[in-house]
Amino acid sequence: MSNTRPQLGSFLGGTFSGTNGLTRYTNQGMEFAAKANDGLTGADQGEPGGNHGSWHPVLFPTGRTLAVRGGLGNTMWLAPWNRVNTDVGNLTMYCSDCHGSATANGVSAPNSGKPWGPHGSSKNFILKGDWDLNTGLNQQDDLCFKCHNYTNYATRQSIKSGFCCDKDNNLHGYHADKITSGIKCARCHAAVPHGWKNKAFLVNLNSVGAEGGQPANTKVGTAYSKFTQAPYYLDAALRIVNWKKSGSWLAADCGWSGTNNDVNWMKSTCK
């Protein structure tokens, strides 16, 4: 038996090779088990401080409740994930919440006449919505926004996010408002959101490792450059100087270094 993961486009009906820069399917088992100590009571659950692994809660809950995330509002999600305040961080989900025939945002039933379950989709990777370089850029029907509330992420809103509170209560919407070229999810987040080595699926171009084809803790590119390396980096831009708990981020926590950071670095990188 070969340990080589199958190539994209190697069978009829599959996603074409080169989609999002990928040529082979990724190791989902490794991605969901982002850290060996996760488990049901693992050290990476909740907000243990500093950086930690992140995952969508297929195998086990994240433990990142609204309170742990800095008191953010449950309307950052759509139903059923926003059902009651105690659900966030304590729920698990199915692969079929993201994979399957295309659905409307916030519902589980496929569009009329389409099959239930992850048997096929008109979208790449058998996803319920598009997921590509431009996700987040005025594409309200894309995959992320089947569960995450597009209005509260991609437009200026007052609802509190875990990404706050320097400058604004919701720095997702604040960035979307300030970046004239538009905000894209993959500029700051990993391009395969099963599980990831950093908190909140955040990329950090100041510390790229084997997942990006680099030696551990490599600072890639130049101060304002983007980085693409399949499967996890898709025109990524974010650089982190200081890791903070949710609800405690400052502008100075992002940048090339402790002296080239803050708003001026962001303006040069994200324009």
Side-chain angles (χ1 to χ4, degrees):
M1 177 181 288
S2 172
N3 289 324
T4 303
R5 298 186 304 280
Q7 289 184 321
L8 269 71
S10 59
F11 52 90
L12 292 176
T15 300
F16 291 115
S17 181
T19 302
N20 287 1
L22 274 70
T23 57
R24 292 185 181 275
Y25 289 94
T26 62
N27 186 334
Q28 291 91 357
M30 178 187 70
E31 291 164 349
F32 280 117
K35 296 287 184 71
N37 63 1
D38 286 337
L40 291 175
T41 57
D44 279 344
Q45 287 186 307
E47 288 263 10
N51 194 15
H52 53 77
S54 56
W55 59 91
H56 274 103
V58 173
L59 298 182
F60 36 79
T62 66
R64 289 183 264 284
T65 63
L66 296 178
V68 165
R69 295 173 189 250
L72 80 166
N74 66 323
T75 56
M76 293 299 294
W77 291 268
L78 301 176
W81 311 108
N82 64 354
R83 186 173 53 196
V84 294
N85 289 351
T86 56
D87 279 350
V88 176
N90 296 316
L91 291 174
T92 54
M93 62 190 297
Y94 295 100
C95 297
S96 55
D97 284 319
C98 293
H99 293 278
S101 184
T103 65
N105 295 355
V107 301
S108 58
N111 294 340
S112 177
K114 302 299 182 181
W116 286 78
H119 303 295
S121 174
S122 59
K123 309 297 184 181
N124 290 320
F125 307 110
I126 316 183
L127 290 170
K128 290 187 172 184
D130 288 315
W131 168 241
D132 55 35
L133 175 63
N134 291 316
T135 292
L137 188 63
N138 300 318
Q139 297 182 181
Q140 299 185 35
D141 199 42
D142 279 6
L143 178 67
C144 302
F145 308 113
K146 302 301 177 184
C147 301
H148 296 274
N149 190 328
Y150 177 88
T151 300
N152 290 335
Y153 276 90
T155 65
R156 190 77 177 269
Q157 299 292 323
S158 60
I159 184 70
K160 189 175 183 181
S161 165
F163 182 32
C164 81
C165 293
D166 189 19
K167 309 292 185 185
D168 198 89
N169 221 25
N170 183 338
L171 291 174
H172 285 103
Y174 182 84
H175 281 73
D177 182 54
K178 295 296 183 181
I179 300 173
T180 55
S181 61
I183 192 168
K184 301 177 182 181
C185 298
R187 285 283 169 86
C188 295
H189 296 281
V192 180
H194 291 138
W196 186 236
K197 67 176 189 175
N198 299 328
K199 67 172 295 180
F201 292 99
L202 292 172
V203 297
N204 180 15
L205 301 189
N206 287 338
S207 183
V208 176
E211 80 290 343
Q214 305 291 325
N217 299 317
T218 297
K219 197 171 192 175
V220 296
T222 59
Y224 310 113
S225 63
K226 312 295 192 300
F227 181 67
T228 294
Q229 178 65 54
Y232 302 110
Y233 297 91
L234 185 61
D235 202 33
L238 181 63
R239 298 178 184 274
I240 296 174
V241 178
N242 304 304
W243 288 99
K244 293 294 186 65
K245 284 189 174 184
S246 296
S248 303
W249 289 99
L250 302 174
D253 295 326
C254 299
W256 172 258
S257 66
T259 56
N260 185 1
N261 58 355
D262 211 318
V263 174
N264 289 331
W265 174 82
M266 296 179 200
K267 287 179 178 178
S268 296
T269 301
C270 300
K271 62 184 178 180

